[in-house]
Amino acid sequence: MATQTLKLNVKSGEKDGKNFWDRCGVLFVHTDDGGNITSINIKHSMFSDVEMVAFPRRDEEPITE
């Protein structure tokens, strides 16, 4: 299983056409040997004590929002 790590940034301002970004967390994308996403973990600075995870929808699961 491979893991990709992505930085989460939030736009903190703009000056003279230039954007400024602050790091607010990290996103971990876990994949199987075939490259399919198996899960995503999120660590966010605003929710440091909250564990956030996302899983792909299974074909037999209905779509709900």
Side-chain angles (χ1 to χ4, degrees):
M1 180 161 81
T3 301
Q4 296 179 32
T5 305
L6 306 168
K7 292 184 247 177
L8 294 175
N9 297 313
V10 62
K11 187 175 177 181
S12 60
E14 185 177 338
K15 185 175 181 181
D16 298 327
K18 184 176 180 179
N19 294 324
F20 296 92
W21 300 89
D22 288 335
R23 188 166 180 190
C24 64
V26 180
L27 184 85
F28 302 95
V29 180
H30 307 282
T31 57
D32 61 16
D33 293 335
N36 301 305
I37 295 174
T38 56
S39 66
I40 299 171
N41 292 73
I42 302 106
K43 300 288 183 188
H44 198 284
S45 60
M46 288 180 63
F47 308 103
S48 58
D49 295 332
V50 177
E51 190 169 326
M52 294 181 261
V53 180
F55 297 98
R57 185 179 68 83
R58 295 183 183 140
D59 292 335
E60 66 273 6
E61 292 177 349
I63 298 174
T64 58
E65 302 210 13

